[in-house]
Amino acid sequence: MTVILDGKLLADKITQNLKKKTSGLKVKPKLAVILAGDNPASLIYVRNKQKRAEEIGFETLFLPMPKDVSEENLLENIYILNEMKEVNAILVQLPLPSHINKFSVIEAIAPEKDVDCFNSINVGKLLCGYSPYVPPCTPKGIIRLFDNYNIELEGKNVLVIGRSNIVGKPLSVMFQARNATVTAAHSKTKNLKEIALNSDIIVSAAGCANLVTADFVKEGAVVVDVGINRVNDRLRGDVDFENVAPKTSYITPVPGGVGPMTIAMLMENTLELYQIQNHN
Ligand code: NDP
């Protein structure tokens, strides 16, 4: 029987728990979100994050910037946020306009306020097996889903499709830390189907609709779909859910799987950074 990994349900539980913890705080955690440009999808993501933070009782600081904002101006704002004692967490919504050097921006975020583990100091710690201030939101949310459904990772063959700095790479590292045997695939991988058929767990974070089809998946595998694709005005993942689901033991839906977990982990990370900065 296939079990649907209900990210929305788990995210709602986590949110309620965060709300309870926050209600007892005199000074509320504060999340600052920078959005440069007018990418419609980014605007929706940022609004959803801000709405969820306010529901929990966090304070938010939203800094929209025009698409022609200079890199200097953007960096200046990050330096100011780094210095503001009341700001505990900083998120720069990606992608940035093409004239801005993403890496300069990421490196400018103070590591102790880096809510999505972008900064190389935090990434380096993750890679070395020390704790970063907080782990990256999407990989953390995926691991939390596995833990919540008691899905064993140790000794499992795991295929991670995608090697981006924010999803694929850190997720591969975090799975290895749980003693899984990880294959990190990307657009130049030649024998993806063969690797997939040999995998106990497949996580697709490619942003490519219908990449994972039923003939890629062995009976009883676990499939996690990170992808967000717009197909004929509908939101689709990377996985052909209808045909893949019957073969799996566990599978995430899109929407309602990884997406809500990412936002819940962003909120959890905001509270954790607040606690670290306030020594409690
Ligand atoms: P990127 O575009 O940065 O990375 C995509 C990765 O997938 C790259 O490593 C690329 O390979 C690989 N890839 C692309 N096409 C294929 C293919 N046909 N076969 C194998 N590998 C392929 O994306 P992100 O990591 O930022 O995001 C991935 C997807 O996840 C997107 O749809 C995004 O919207 C979604 N997302 C969802 C989140 C959520 O909360 N649900 C959070 C973050 C992202 P190469 O390196 O060779 O180019």
Side-chain angles (χ1 to χ4, degrees), residues 45 49 94 102 116 137-139 142 160-169 185-189 192 204-209 211 216 225-230 236-238 254 257-263:
Y45 295 150
K49 289 168 185 173
L94 301 177
K102 181 172 80 176
D116 207 359
C137 300
T138 302
I142 293 169
V160 177
I161 309 176
R163 56 176 167 181
S164 72
N165 287 347
I166 62 163
V167 187
K169 268 188 213 161
H186 45 77
S187 66
K188 308 289 184 289
T189 298
L192 190 59
S204 187
C208 196
L211 177 66
F216 267 51
D225 193 351
V226 184
I228 301 175
N229 309 291
R230 287 226 163 260
R236 307 301 295 246
D238 291 350
V254 175
V258 176
M261 288 302 295
T262 297
I263 297 189

Side-chain angles (χ1 to χ4, degrees), residues 128-141:
C128 293
Y130 319 134
S131 296
Y133 279 95
V134 285
C137 300
T138 302
K140 184 184 184 189

Side-chain angles (χ1 to χ4, degrees), residues 35 37 50 55 77 99 111 146 160 177 181 192 195 224 251 266:
L35 174 68
Q50 202 181 359
E55 269 168 38
N77 277 283
H99 65 281
F146 278 89
V160 177
T181 304
L192 190 59
I195 302 166
V224 172
I251 187 167
L266 176 69

Side-chain angles (χ1 to χ4, degrees), residues 10-280:
L10 179 56
D12 286 347
K13 272 191 205 153
I14 293 166
T15 303
Q16 288 313 316
N17 198 16
L18 292 172
K19 211 172 186 173
K20 259 189 229 151
K21 286 184 180 164
T22 306
S23 67
L25 298 172
K26 275 201 192 107
V27 179
K28 304 298 181 197
K30 190 163 191 162
L31 169 68
V33 181
I34 297 181
L35 174 68
D38 52 7
N39 180 321
S42 293
L43 199 60
I44 294 171
Y45 295 150
V46 164
R47 284 210 184 110
N48 287 342
K49 289 168 185 173
Q50 202 181 359
K51 207 171 119 210
R52 183 53 60 94
E54 283 162 5
E55 269 168 38
I56 291 172
F58 295 166
E59 288 186 13
T60 60
L61 180 59
F62 176 43
L63 274 103
M65 296 184 183
K67 61 173 180 257
D68 59 353
V69 62
S70 69
E71 189 174 309
E72 199 188 359
N73 188 346
L74 185 49
L75 291 175
E76 205 45 56
N77 277 283
I78 294 176
Y79 298 141
I80 292 170
L81 294 174
N82 286 345
E83 292 300 318
M84 286 171 73
K85 217 174 169 312
E86 67 272 28
V87 170
N88 307 107
I90 302 171
L91 180 77
V92 177
Q93 183 68 44
L94 301 177
L96 290 169
S98 57
H99 65 281
I100 290 178
N101 183 337
K102 181 172 80 176
F103 296 104
S104 306
V105 171
I106 284 170
E107 289 308 295
I109 303 170
E112 67 276 15
K113 295 189 178 185
D114 176 21
V115 74
D116 207 359
C117 196
F118 282 166
N119 185 288
S120 62
I121 292 190
N122 285 322
V123 176
K125 285 184 175 179
L126 189 77
L127 198 62
C128 293
Y130 319 134
S131 296
Y133 279 95
V134 285
C137 300
T138 302
K140 184 184 184 189
I142 293 169
I143 302 263
R144 186 67 63 81
L145 265 178
F146 278 89
D147 289 345
N148 185 66
Y149 284 86
N150 294 314
I151 302 169
E152 185 59 76
L153 285 161
E154 185 159 319
K156 296 289 165 65
N157 285 338
V158 179
L159 168 62
V160 177
I161 309 176
R163 56 176 167 181
S164 72
N165 287 347
I166 62 163
V167 187
K169 268 188 213 161
L171 183 61
S172 295
V173 170
M174 288 162 80
F175 278 146
Q176 278 190 60
R178 292 293 193 95
N179 297 321
T181 304
V182 181
T183 304
H186 45 77
S187 66
K188 308 289 184 289
T189 298
K190 288 212 159 40
N191 48 345
L192 190 59
K193 182 173 168 182
E194 194 184 309
I195 302 166
L197 279 169
N198 194 33
S199 301
D200 306 307
I201 296 168
I202 300 172
V203 180
S204 187
C208 196
N210 267 327
L211 177 66
V212 178
T213 45
D215 57 333
F216 267 51
V217 179
K218 75 172 179 185
E219 240 8 273
V222 178
V223 174
V224 172
D225 193 351
V226 184
I228 301 175
N229 309 291
R230 287 226 163 260
V231 181
N232 301 329
D233 266 346
R234 282 190 60 200
L235 201 65
R236 307 301 295 246
D238 291 350
V239 177
D240 172 13
F241 183 88
E242 259 175 34
N243 295 307
V244 169
K247 293 186 83 174
T248 62
S249 51
Y250 298 88
I251 187 167
T252 57
V254 175
V258 176
M261 288 302 295
T262 297
I263 297 189
M265 294 300 102
L266 176 69
M267 301 304 136
E268 189 175 274
N269 281 358
T270 300
L271 183 62
E272 284 178 10
L273 291 179
Y274 169 94
Q275 287 166 334
I276 294 168
Q277 289 158 30
N278 290 284
H279 311 290
N280 58 18

